Amino acid sequence: MVKKLILMTNKNIKEEKMVREATLGESVFSLLFLIACLAVGIIGYGTDPHVPMFVGSFGAIAVAYRLGYKWEQIESFMMKGIQKVVPSIVILIVIGMLIGVWLDSGVVPSMIYYGLKVLKPSIFYLATVVICSITSVATGSSWGTMGTMGVALMGIAVGLDMSLPITAGAIVSGSYFGDKMSPLSDTTNLAPAMAGCDVITGIRFMMLPTGISYAISLVVFFVLGLGHNSQHADLSGVTAISDAMAETFTITPIHFLPVIIVLVAVACKVPAIPGITLGIISGAILGLITEPACSVKTLMDCAINGYVSNTGFEMMDNLLTKGGLLSMMSTCAMAIIAMMYGGIMEETGQLQAVANFITKKIRSRSGLIGATMGCSIIANVIMADQYVSLIVPGRMFASTYKDMKMHPVCLSNAIASSGAVTSALVPWNTCGLYVASTLGIGVFSYLPYAVFNYLTPLVVLVLAYMKITITDEEGVRMIHARDKMETKEQGMAA
């Protein structure tokens, strides 16, 4: 029996010795094979990235076999990768239900209705940013905001004789600000999941650099709007949407209560799933009280399938038909497939080989953040999809941040502030293609005016070199302790 165990142990050692480390060339092959598949699928055939990403993962599988790994091991690597994104997938599912319920209960329509009221001809560009920000924060979707409210604002710009490139830049800036800071956004949830931190901590850490970029953007668009004093503005599009919403829903300020509840939950550091669930429950109760057409049945249906607007007013129907658990399945599937690839690349050491090559000359934390952001932007250019620009650099540099004793929130901020926002600045990226086709204006035309999108990476990089957006575990604990103290002091003062 002892002899048999010794033979088995020697056999296992021999098998382990057959597995070797990935070389830089092999790792680059896996990346280039993925890039080629994505380019052919997305750019060549205009398909979604899911299948190209799945096919691209076979490059990593082939290299894993070459390194000596068996299929059972490779499959376990895929499962490990998927496990890392499961919390994000659960949050996305809950968010889908939240959007559907908030639409049926009149919460989102009320936010959009009051947001439209800030539109004034003399501050059109500034108001455009604000309106798109409100809509995007409420829905968690930059694409949905641009495809509905953005289209309406482009039409209004024509009536006001405003610059269409500047208007498009304002729409993109506002839409991506809301998408970046909304806990309902898929990319806002995906970035922390890839880095290894929770979404609430990720949003809180992004507030300072994002707030600075947003404030500068507002000033820029205010200055750009000076001198436009049209007294004959055609606001029929905005008026039509407002009137249609007022006729369909009960519009009152009380509908902001569920939003306030979620924001308070975020401020009190309630975990994402319970906090969002509080928003669902409060929105449902409010809808049952205020909306005659709202019932338990419609709320449950909207939570699963999303809200469907059938007013006959196309612009409003397009704006409000969204949400639901099933609407998130495409994003969830993309995350699963991407992490199959990411799990193989990470567990076989292929990502580490590339990361080591990139970071071997980096000696500072700020330099690491700069390299991370650069890789995210390059991923947007060569891989043509914003999800990949978050997933690949996120997993590639995760261990390096740990080695440098940096909190994962630094990595989350770096990829969210580069990969997520610059995707709309690349003409062949899925986001750039969507914006151009939706707003009817080329990427290079609005690119100089998408102020928030190119300013955000610069601000994060500057703050990193000033060591403001760099922290470790202890730094995050100190921030949380400070916030708890401030909350306690405010409670005592009240």
Side-chain angles (χ1 to χ4, degrees), residues 377-400:
I377 294 172
I378 292 173
N380 263 327
V381 174
I382 63 178
M383 297 184 186
D385 186 79
Q386 67 171 342
Y387 295 113
V388 179
S389 73
L390 298 176
I391 293 168
V392 173
R395 299 316 308 161
M396 182 186 297
F397 290 103
S399 61
T400 308

Side-chain angles (χ1 to χ4, degrees), residues 30 33-34 37 51-63 78 337-338 340-342 344:
S30 295
F33 186 77
L34 173 66
C37 292
V51 174
M53 188 81 193
F54 177 74
V55 176
S57 65
F58 282 91
I61 292 174
V63 171
M78 287 192 254
I337 295 171
M340 288 169 55
Y341 172 82
I344 297 170

Side-chain angles (χ1 to χ4, degrees), residues 279-331:
I280 295 175
I281 295 172
S282 58
I285 294 173
L286 186 62
L288 292 172
I289 296 173
T290 61
E291 298 294 335
C294 184
S295 66
V296 174
K297 183 180 184 303
T298 62
L299 286 169
M300 293 179 67
D301 184 65
C302 289
I304 297 173
N305 301 304
Y307 180 80
V308 179
S309 179
N310 292 312
T311 63
F313 180 31
E314 185 178 359
M315 189 177 294
M316 177 173 157
D317 290 343
N318 291 336
L319 178 63
L320 299 183
T321 300
K322 59 170 56 69
L325 182 154
L326 296 179
S327 70
M328 294 295 181
M329 290 301 100
S330 177
T331 301

